[in-house]
Amino acid sequence: MATDVIIIGAKGRMGATLAGLANADDDLNLKAVCERPGNCDGLETYGCMCGDDLNALLPDCPGAAIVDFTSPEASVSTAKIAAGHGNPLVIGTTGLNKEQVAELEGLAKQSPIFWAPNMSVGVNVLLKLMPMLVEALGPDYDMEISEIHHKMKKDAPSGTALKLAQCLAEARGWIYDDVKCHCRDGIIGERPQNELGVQTLRGGDVVGDHTMYFFGPGERIEVTHRAHSRETFASGALRAAKWLAAQKPGKLYAMADIF
């Protein structure tokens, strides 16, 4: 039986990709698309319900999985509406602060909510493998991360870079906020041993590049993930939507729960 899905922000770059893939997937039924007020022209071409008021759409979409890749504030608002109606919600938005994540955790007790800063299968496999590499290399290897995204991206560092950095820090036994370095400028002195740098580049139409560096005595290791298309993230989110539709409320789900 096909899973009903609702795409939020269907006229945006990611929203349009999600809606197109959902329409082409036999295991999904694009039940509705939603946009902000005044931006709904053309949504009827998707051949499903459309509008600018999610509250008004949901009574006709019981159980439909909502997918939101908009903005932190908008995604939290979507989560409140979804929780009120009991609809499952997949969030791929990055840039959420600690308070917003905590709010999602609370709402996840009312309806199933899934949040991942990166929906790529490859990135989430790396998150499982990197702790083994950190442990095997030991403390003599300095760890750094660089990330590149298109010039329209609003948050920095990327949510994926932060997730990877937190993963490396935890594997080393560090608290990330105590060792992070997001910018270097001026006469900064020698690099401390207990430091993890995350550097940001922006330009052009780069979908997403992330490289983790391990600098050791006489050698270095580089592990790079490059996303060639937004479909990488959209496919992962729709896979999560199919899975989440069968889950119960209780916790804020993540990619690790699917693998």
Side-chain angles (χ1 to χ4, degrees):
M1 182 175 177
T3 301
D4 288 341
V5 293
I6 300 170
I7 306 302
I8 307 297
K11 291 181 71 175
R13 290 186 300 270
M14 183 58 72
T17 302
L18 284 161
L21 288 179
N23 251 340
D25 190 330
D26 292 338
D27 293 326
L28 293 171
N29 173 40
L30 185 59
K31 187 74 173 178
V33 291
C34 192
E35 259 293 349
R36 64 181 184 273
N39 198 41
C40 291
D41 290 348
L43 289 181
E44 64 278 358
T45 59
Y46 285 113
C48 62
M49 296 172 57
C50 59
D52 58 15
D53 185 348
L54 184 60
N55 251 323
L57 290 171
L58 288 184
D60 294 320
C61 307
I66 305 165
V67 185
D68 186 316
F69 272 76
T70 55
S71 69
E73 295 79 10
S75 293
V76 172
S77 177
T78 297
K80 292 176 181 176
I81 296 170
H85 290 266
N87 286 72
L89 170 63
V90 173
I91 297 175
T93 304
T94 62
L96 278 72
N97 59 38
K98 292 179 180 178
E99 291 75 19
Q100 289 166 329
V101 174
E103 191 163 8
L104 292 182
E105 290 172 341
L107 292 168
K109 295 184 171 79
Q110 301 176 48
S111 65
I113 299 179
F114 178 104
W115 173 62
N118 191 301
M119 297 286 181
S120 153
V121 172
V123 165
N124 284 281
V125 170
L126 284 179
L127 288 169
K128 287 201 165 191
L129 295 178
M130 285 303 99
M132 290 187 286
L133 180 58
V134 172
E135 183 178 356
L137 291 175
D140 290 339
Y141 284 72
D142 298 323
M143 302 184 298
E144 298 274 320
I145 294 176
S146 68
E147 58 101 343
I148 311 172
H149 282 84
H150 55 88
K151 62 185 178 183
M152 302 299 289
K153 187 168 178 60
K154 295 179 175 63
D155 56 310
S158 71
T160 301
L162 292 175
K163 187 71 173 176
L164 290 168
Q166 290 161 0
C167 172
L168 299 185
E170 289 173 7
R172 186 65 63 87
W174 295 342
I175 297 173
Y176 179 61
D177 284 344
D178 292 344
V179 298
K180 68 182 180 183
C181 179
H182 291 175
C183 179
R184 295 188 177 101
D185 183 53
I187 307 300
I188 61 171
E190 294 183 3
R191 182 191 191 281
Q193 183 177 12
N194 291 3
E195 183 172 273
L196 206 170
V198 181
Q199 310 306 319
T200 297
L201 287 80
R202 293 286 179 268
D205 59 357
V206 179
V207 174
D209 288 5
H210 296 85
T211 299
M212 290 170 284
Y213 300 89
F214 301 86
F215 300 97
E219 64 178 0
R220 76 171 181 266
I221 297 171
E222 299 179 13
V223 180
T224 297
H225 178 274
R226 292 190 174 94
H228 298 160
S229 165
R230 288 184 179 84
E231 290 190 3
T232 299
F233 312 119
S235 296
L238 294 175
R239 173 180 174 179
K242 296 174 189 176
W243 177 85
L244 189 66
Q247 307 309 309
K248 296 186 180 301
K251 61 173 285 189
L252 184 59
Y253 292 106
M255 271 292 185
D257 295 306
I258 298 180
F259 293 142

